[in-house]
Amino acid sequence: MKPTLKVAILAGGTGTRLWPLSRRSTPKQVQPFLDGATLLQHTWRRLRTRFPARDLYVVTSASLCHEVSRQLPELATQNTLFEPAGLGTAPAVAFAAAVIGAVAPGAPLAVVGSDHAVGSSSAYCRTLLSAATMLLR
């Protein structure tokens, strides 16, 4: 049996890119937009159309743990990965790969942002699954 795709959602950040709306305690991905849902919630919902919650991980900071838990009640505690230090995207990806690789050796890993607007959830998820299938050949 082939390993299933795991997805790491990057949801850290310092809250400086959408200032003054965004702050360290409330970066843009946890801010409500358009329909009242946050970018993080949109990302989660988009991925949940094709992936079980057990295969989704959120990489965030300890300071955002309560907000992430509040916004994503379906996210299991063990699938919430707290960065030891906020050092940027590459270290966050390496951290996620190390933790998820230990839990699911050999499983392909997709890393996605939590602050992107995506038009078609189905096309997005199909693309992720296609990429994973190519990796497993």
Side-chain angles (χ1 to χ4, degrees):
M1 187 162 122
K2 293 181 181 178
T4 59
L5 177 67
K6 306 299 180 190
V7 182
I9 302 167
L10 299 181
T14 57
T16 59
R17 302 234 175 138
L18 194 59
W19 186 88
L21 176 64
S22 182
R23 302 276 197 228
R24 183 172 295 280
S25 62
T26 54
K28 66 181 175 277
Q29 66 270 18
V30 298
Q31 294 286 336
F33 285 95
L34 303 174
D35 62 357
T38 67
L39 295 171
L40 175 61
Q41 289 170 322
H42 280 287
T43 301
W44 179 265
R45 291 173 188 161
R46 176 182 323 119
L47 293 166
R48 284 291 288 123
T49 64
R50 290 297 275 272
F51 301 99
R54 71 177 174 272
D55 292 334
L56 304 178
Y57 295 78
V58 174
V59 183
T60 192
S61 63
S63 64
L64 290 176
C65 76
H66 295 297
E67 188 60 24
V68 169
S69 295
R70 186 184 73 74
Q71 290 190 17
L72 306 177
E74 201 180 7
L75 176 66
T77 303
Q78 67 269 19
N79 287 32
T80 307
L81 310 180
F82 300 110
E83 294 178 88
L87 300 174
T89 302
V93 170
F95 173 63
V99 172
I100 296 167
V103 174
L109 173 64
V111 179
V112 302
S114 61
D115 57 356
H116 299 163
V118 173
S120 172
S121 294
S122 60
Y124 181 83
C125 290
R126 269 195 320 273
T127 302
L128 288 175
L129 288 167
S130 293
T133 300
M134 292 173 85
L135 287 172
L136 294 171
R137 286 185 183 170

